[in-house]
Amino acid sequence: MNLVKKSIAVALLAGIGFAAVAQERVYVIDQRDAVATSG
């Protein structure tokens, strides 16, 4: 049972990390668009 809880915790942390990376990439893309359109 303890292994199941650890597996769930790892999966949640991995999901949170992936979401953070995805948001960061979207932000970088938005910044590039803003720079491109301002010029």
Side-chain angles (χ1 to χ4, degrees), residues 4 7 13 18 20 22 25 27 29:
V4 172
S7 296
L13 287 172
F18 178 77
R25 286 186 179 167
Y27 178 72
I29 289 169

Side-chain angles (χ1 to χ4, degrees), residues 6-22:
K6 287 183 180 178
S7 296
I8 292 172
V10 169
L12 285 173
L13 287 172
I16 291 168
F18 178 77
V21 169

Side-chain angles (χ1 to χ4, degrees), residues 22-39:
Q23 285 183 342
E24 188 175 329
R25 286 186 179 167
V26 169
Y27 178 72
V28 169
I29 289 169
D30 284 347
Q31 285 236 324
R32 285 183 186 161
D33 285 346
V35 170
T37 55
S38 67

